[in-house]
């Protein structure tokens, strides 16, 4: 990390240490070396009159792979330090630290501090944990994988499951550019969500940590506002006849659609005894479909909810199940998490356990 940035963050670190009952008692010593080992800087601090020496490695951003390198660097440096009266506190300081990286640091009892003001320290007779919400720009950086064409590529990675695949295979399956596919895979390697083998154009990856991927994606989805729906009422004898009638009309008129929400969850992993509302994404021509169905816009008492669709990203991974088109299990799970609907979260958990095979 560049020195001006480190100086700026040091001021923020001092503030957080003060909030936690500590204080910095020396000027930082930058690029401290012991033999061939080095860290970015050393800093003296005090907690409840007890002296501590902070051994700090600084990064611009930190994901699990970066953290493993930093942990190795810190431990190697500390092993060579002469004994002294002050207890040693290793610390990783970064502009942003991913959830997976934080968990790894806590597991190794390595302290961390980031730009949000979050602070973790662990030593004999000292434990500090201050967790603060990510700043907007931190959130944009950490969550960029889950937006737009990158999310499309990430979805494509999921579909390979336990198969090895290359950049161009991913680009083709997810309908993204090879550049986007490559950028996403590099980010996944930093998060340690994929294994890799080979090098250069023949390099391949395989999804290695689906749980971590799903945890962070679902956490991001849960932070968003509920999906906005256009609400309609249509006459139907029963819900099964309705979805097959919609399929027939769409097939005859060439309109792409996919069932989502509770009905899609029920199709993939039956769990609820009754569903009275259907969620759909409908491509161009949806207004004609609604006219053919005699659907009327309503504010309450609806049984047909239309989710706004983006033809660039939607419909790509839909599946034909029971003679209708439905969102695949992953998209169904993510949609259920974002629906403001009675039992959607319950069905999402059931779907995760049964079809995604990733426990909470």
């Amino acid at each position: 990390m560049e020195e001006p940035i480190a100086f700026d963050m040091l001021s923020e670190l001092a503030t957080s240490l003060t909030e936690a009952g500590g204080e910095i008692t020396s000027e930082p010593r930058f690029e401290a070396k012991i033999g061939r080992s080095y860290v970015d800087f050393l800093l003296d601090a005090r907690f409840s009159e007890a002296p501590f020496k902070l051994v700090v490695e600084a990064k611009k951003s930190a994901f699990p792979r970066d953290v493993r390198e930093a942990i190795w660097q810190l431990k190697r440096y500390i092993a060579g330090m002469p004994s002294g009266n002050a207890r040693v506190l290793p610390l990783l300081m970064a502009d942003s630290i991913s959830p997976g990286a934080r968990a790894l640091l806590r597991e190794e009892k390595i302290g961390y501090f980031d730009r949000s003001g979050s602070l973790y320290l662990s030593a004999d007779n000292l434990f500090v944990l201050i967790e603060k919400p990510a700043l907007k720009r931190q959130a944009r950086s950490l969550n960029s994988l889950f937006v737009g064409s990158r999310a499309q590529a990430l979805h494509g990675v999921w579909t390979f499951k336990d198969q090895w695949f290359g950049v161009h295979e991913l680009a083709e399956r997810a309908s993204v550019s090879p550049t986007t596919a490559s950028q996403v895979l590099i980010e996944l390697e930093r998060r340690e969500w994929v294994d890799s083998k080979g090098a250069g154009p023949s390099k391949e990856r395989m999804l290695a940590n689906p749980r971590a991927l799903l945890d962070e994606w679902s956490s991001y989805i849960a932070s968003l506002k509920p999906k906005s729906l256009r609400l309609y009422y249509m006459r139907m004898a029963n819900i099964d006849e309705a979805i097959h009638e919609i399929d027939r009309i769409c097939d005859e008129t060439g309109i792409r659609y996919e069932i989502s929400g509770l009905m899609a969850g029920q199709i993939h992993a039956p769990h609820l005894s009754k569903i009275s509302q259907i969620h759909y994404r409908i491509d161009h021509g949806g207004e004609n479909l609604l006219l053919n169905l005699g659907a009327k816009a309503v504010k309450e008492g609806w049984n047909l909810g239309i989710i706004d669709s983006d033809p660039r990203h939607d419909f790509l991974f839909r599946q034909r199940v029971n003679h209708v088109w439905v969102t695949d299990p992953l998209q169904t799970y993510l949609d259920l998490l974002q629906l403001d609907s009675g039992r959607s979260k319950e069905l999402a958990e059931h779907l995760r356990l049964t079809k995604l095979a990733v426990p909470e």
Side-chain angles (χ1 to χ4, degrees), residues 52-302:
F52 290 86
K53 187 173 292 292
L54 298 181
V55 181
V56 183
E57 189 68 11
K59 302 281 185 184
K60 180 145 183 72
S61 61
F63 294 93
R65 189 178 67 179
D66 313 306
V67 162
R68 290 190 192 279
E69 294 173 358
I71 290 172
W72 178 83
Q73 188 73 20
L74 286 164
K75 287 184 174 181
R76 183 181 178 188
Y77 184 88
I78 290 170
M81 290 177 67
S83 58
N85 295 327
R87 282 175 285 180
V88 174
L89 277 175
L91 178 78
L92 176 72
M93 184 173 76
D95 187 81
S96 61
I97 305 175
S98 76
R102 292 185 188 203
L104 180 56
L105 288 164
R106 290 195 296 268
E107 182 181 322
E108 294 288 333
K109 292 188 169 16
I110 304 290
Y112 61 75
F113 173 74
D114 77 2
R115 218 62 187 261
S116 71
S118 294
L119 176 67
Y120 167 74
L121 297 171
S122 181
D124 294 338
N125 301 318
L126 175 67
F127 180 82
V128 175
L129 180 59
I130 300 172
E131 292 284 8
K132 294 188 177 182
L135 302 174
K136 286 186 177 180
R137 58 183 176 76
Q138 288 178 313
R140 283 195 299 270
S141 172
L142 293 173
N143 295 326
S144 63
L145 270 178
F146 311 123
V147 179
S149 59
R150 287 191 167 204
Q152 198 168 316
L154 189 61
H155 197 143
V157 169
W158 182 272
T159 66
F160 283 101
K161 297 183 179 177
D162 56 356
Q163 301 172 13
W164 290 98
F165 60 91
V167 168
H168 291 282
E169 289 175 283
L170 175 60
E172 182 177 355
R173 179 169 294 191
S175 290
V176 298
S177 70
T179 299
T180 297
S182 178
Q183 290 171 344
V184 166
L185 290 174
I186 289 170
E187 289 296 312
L188 297 186
E189 285 187 339
R190 291 185 69 192
R191 287 167 166 81
E192 298 185 335
W193 292 353
V194 294
D195 289 332
S196 62
K197 66 178 183 179
S202 62
K203 186 173 185 178
E204 293 184 310
R205 278 87 163 184
M206 181 172 64
L207 183 60
N209 197 340
R211 178 174 182 173
L213 185 159
L214 205 59
D215 283 347
E216 287 202 27
W217 203 343
S218 58
S219 178
Y220 166 71
I221 290 293
S223 73
L224 303 177
K225 294 180 181 179
K227 283 187 176 295
S228 59
L229 295 174
R230 289 184 286 138
L231 307 180
Y232 297 87
Y233 174 79
M234 59 175 285
R235 298 186 66 178
M236 60 175 76
N238 62 65
I239 204 161
D240 288 329
E241 286 187 14
I243 63 175
H244 285 97
E245 175 65 9
I246 290 173
D247 179 76
R248 183 188 66 78
I249 295 172
C250 288
D251 183 56
E252 291 177 354
T253 55
I255 298 172
R256 291 189 303 172
Y257 79 91
E258 58 187 15
I259 299 171
S260 184
L262 293 168
M263 191 67 202
Q266 188 72 356
I267 289 172
H268 285 303
H271 179 66
L272 305 178
S273 58
K274 183 180 179 181
I275 294 176
S276 57
Q277 296 168 331
I278 323 170
H279 298 83
Y280 275 89
R281 285 188 184 85
I282 302 173
D283 202 356
H284 301 301
E287 296 305 320
N288 290 332
L289 171 65
L290 295 170
L291 285 173
N292 286 333
L293 293 171
K296 299 185 182 300
V298 295
K299 292 185 178 179
E300 55 185 24
W302 63 277

